[in-house]
């Protein structure tokens, strides 16, 4: 963010931005308010605090540049943040922006999959809501203290249960399939509302295939979209449980092209990236925020006639273990999974 962008007047205080006139280290209440703001943003998402700006109705009014030693002042702010917040947010950046008459500060707060964060001076847990800092409600606070091993184990158990239920009830066609399990941290917030639809209104769902979105219908323990082929076999299913566990199944997601007879790895890569992006956007629309535990698997590769020749040494390719990510379309997680698929094939 540049000086000209800040001074342009288009920026509005809100869920990802706050303006501050100054930081007076001689006033304890000033330090407390700064830590409250940083804590609230850390518990919400990526954001910025600009110090050295007067605002009017939440918008830029004028600069109030500081004249201290810029590097020393920035280091002092950085130290206050690291010492005043638990767990320590090591990757918050405090960057001086130089201008005529002095400098202002750009405090850059990235998204954190860990937390919740607490102001050590007050013991307060806050979260940003619009342009205000609010106390975190008890249900959300409990969910943010969930043990990571319990979280990952719960995802594995729920995913295995749903896999078994699909197989036992012949819900989807047997054979190779992409399977995705997602468990947001919000699963552990018992006050979190379930996925619902308004009366006479059905919500559309992300679709792995290019045939267009399906529509959620009520099913046991939640809602699902189930798409069929011309033989009325279930080939794609997206299930959202009432407690926000998500199970996605796409039969024949990886295929052999007709004519060329090649393994369609390139098309599979593109479809996986698009589908996970669509799932991420769906979750944001539903106000389900990260982090998420995610597991990806390409299963039953040898159960289709002749297809096993493409994967001679394995019947399943999966993420080594469930990953905890800020967004379900995390680029590193997806790239690692797709690389494992390619390496497991004859092209590896």
């Amino acid at each position: 963010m540049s000086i000209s962008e800040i001074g342009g007047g288009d920026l509005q205080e809100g869920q990802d931005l706050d303006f501050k006139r100054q930081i007076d280290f001689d006033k304890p209440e000033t330090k407390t308010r700064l830590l409250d703001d940083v804590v609230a943003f850390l518990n919400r998402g990526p954001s910025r605090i600009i110090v050295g700006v007067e605002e009017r109705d939440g918008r830029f009014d004028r600069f109030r540049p500081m004249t201290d030693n810029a590097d020393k002042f920035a280091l002092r702010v950085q130290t206050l943040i690291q010492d005043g917040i638990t767990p320590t947010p090591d990757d918050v950046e405090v960057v001086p922006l130089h201008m005529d008459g002095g400098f202002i500060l750009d405090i850059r707060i990235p998204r954190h999959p860990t937390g919740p964060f607490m102001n050590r001076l007050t013991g307060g847990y806050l979260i940003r809501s619009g342009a205000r800092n609010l106390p975190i409600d008890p249900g959300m606070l409990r969910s943010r203290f969930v043990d990571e091993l319990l979280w990952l184990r719960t995802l594995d158990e729920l995913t295995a249960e749903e896999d078994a239920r699909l197989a036992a009830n012949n819900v989807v066609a047997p054979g190779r399939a992409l399977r995705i399990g997602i468990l947001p941290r919000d699963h552990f917030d018992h006050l979190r509302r379930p996925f619902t639809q308004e009366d006479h209104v059905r919500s559309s769902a992300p679709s792995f295939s290019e045939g267009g979105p399906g529509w959620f219908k009520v099913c046991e323990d939640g809602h699902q979209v189930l798409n069929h082929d011309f033989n009325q076999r279930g080939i794609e299913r997206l299930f959202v449980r009432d407690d926000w566990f998500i199970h996605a199944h796409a039969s024949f997601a990886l295929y052999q092209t007709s004519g060329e007879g090649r393994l369609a790895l390139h098309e599979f890569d593109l479809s996986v990236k698009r589908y996970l992006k669509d799932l991420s956007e769906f979750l944001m629309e539903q106000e389900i925020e990260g982090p998420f535990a995610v597991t990806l698997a390409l299963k039953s590769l040898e159960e289709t006639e002749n297809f096993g020749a493409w994967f001679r040494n394995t019947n399943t390719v999966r993420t080594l273990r469930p990953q905890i990510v800020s967004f379900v379309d995390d680029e590193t997680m997806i790239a690692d999974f797709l690389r494992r698929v390619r390496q497991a094939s004859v092209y590896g």
Side-chain angles (χ1 to χ4, degrees):
M1 188 178 294
S2 65
I3 294 289
S4 59
E5 287 178 295
I6 297 169
D10 294 330
L11 301 177
Q12 174 74 48
E13 284 188 321
Q15 199 137 297
D16 59 1
L17 178 67
D18 189 61
F19 292 128
K20 285 196 172 299
R21 178 177 177 179
Q22 63 182 1
I23 300 173
D24 188 343
F25 285 98
D26 294 328
K27 295 182 178 180
E29 64 272 19
T30 303
K31 293 189 289 186
T32 298
R33 283 197 297 268
L34 173 64
L35 292 176
D36 280 345
D37 288 332
V38 176
V39 163
F41 281 131
L42 284 167
N43 286 326
R44 170 57 68 189
S47 48
R48 293 177 120 113
I49 298 174
I50 307 299
V51 182
V53 168
E54 286 192 9
E55 53 84 19
R56 178 176 296 176
D57 297 326
R59 292 189 179 274
F60 172 87
D61 184 45
R62 65 189 180 109
F63 288 112
R64 291 292 299 259
M66 294 163 280
T67 58
D68 307 72
N69 180 292
D71 292 334
K72 288 183 179 180
F73 193 84
L75 179 60
R76 195 173 180 186
V77 173
Q78 184 95 48
T79 301
L80 171 64
I81 291 171
Q82 292 181 349
D83 291 347
I85 296 174
T86 188
T88 303
D90 293 319
D91 50 355
V92 172
E93 296 181 88
V94 181
V95 180
L97 301 179
H98 297 275
M99 60 185 303
D100 291 341
F103 68 94
I104 62 174
L105 287 183
D106 180 6
I107 303 176
R108 303 170 184 176
I109 304 169
R111 176 177 288 273
H112 282 71
T114 57
F117 292 88
M118 181 189 76
N119 183 339
R120 287 179 176 171
L121 298 183
T122 64
Y125 292 91
L126 302 169
I127 192 166
R128 192 74 169 185
S129 178
R132 298 186 301 161
N133 301 331
L134 299 178
I136 296 180
D137 69 68
M140 182 185 293
L141 189 57
R142 282 194 300 271
S143 74
R144 295 192 176 211
F145 278 111
V146 64
D147 177 76
E148 186 172 298
L149 292 178
L150 170 64
W151 187 359
L152 299 180
R153 186 169 63 250
T154 302
L155 172 61
D156 278 339
E157 292 172 352
L158 291 174
T159 302
E161 288 173 9
E162 199 60 31
D163 286 346
R165 182 160 71 165
L166 290 187
N169 297 326
N170 295 316
V171 176
V172 291
R176 65 186 184 277
L178 172 69
R179 192 263 290 129
I180 302 171
I182 301 171
L183 192 66
R185 186 170 59 186
D186 284 347
H187 165 84
F188 299 95
D189 178 359
H190 300 303
L191 300 180
R192 165 65 66 176
R193 63 168 181 80
F195 173 67
T196 57
Q197 303 182 94
E198 299 295 331
D199 291 341
H200 311 298
V201 177
R202 287 185 178 176
S203 300
S204 62
S207 174
F208 185 85
S209 65
E210 296 287 356
W215 303 95
F216 280 107
K217 297 181 180 179
V218 174
C219 66
E220 184 178 354
D221 297 329
H223 291 72
Q224 71 172 7
V225 176
L226 181 60
N227 294 332
H228 299 83
D229 64 10
F230 292 114
N231 297 317
Q232 292 305 303
R233 297 181 304 173
I235 57 170
E236 184 176 340
R237 178 180 183 259
L238 178 62
F239 171 61
V240 181
R241 218 168 81 156
D242 288 335
D243 58 9
W244 287 103
F245 164 64
I246 294 174
H247 185 279
H249 177 104
S251 298
F252 316 117
L254 179 58
Y255 57 89
Q256 178 178 303
T257 62
S258 58
E260 297 175 290
R262 64 177 175 83
L263 187 63
L265 283 171
H266 176 68
E267 293 84 348
F268 178 73
D269 287 7
L270 294 178
S271 295
V272 168
K273 292 174 183 176
R274 175 188 52 77
Y275 187 47
L276 286 168
K277 181 176 183 295
D278 290 346
L279 284 171
S280 181
E281 291 176 352
F282 165 75
L283 289 164
M284 285 191 286
E285 289 170 1
Q286 298 297 321
E287 298 181 349
I288 300 299
E289 300 176 345
F292 304 87
V294 181
T295 181
L296 306 169
L298 190 60
K299 303 173 52 183
S300 306
L301 295 170
E302 297 177 352
E303 294 182 17
T304 306
E305 185 178 359
N306 299 324
F307 199 83
W310 293 109
F311 295 88
R312 296 170 182 167
N313 300 313
T314 184
N315 190 42
T316 300
V317 182
R318 60 168 61 89
T319 48
L320 182 60
R321 60 180 63 87
Q323 304 288 307
I324 294 181
V325 292
S326 296
F327 301 96
V328 299
D329 58 343
D330 180 84
E331 293 181 0
T332 301
M333 176 189 69
I334 295 172
D336 177 67
F337 173 66
L338 295 176
R339 182 170 55 252
R340 294 175 71 86
V341 172
R342 181 175 294 274
Q343 290 175 347
S345 75
V346 296
Y347 296 118

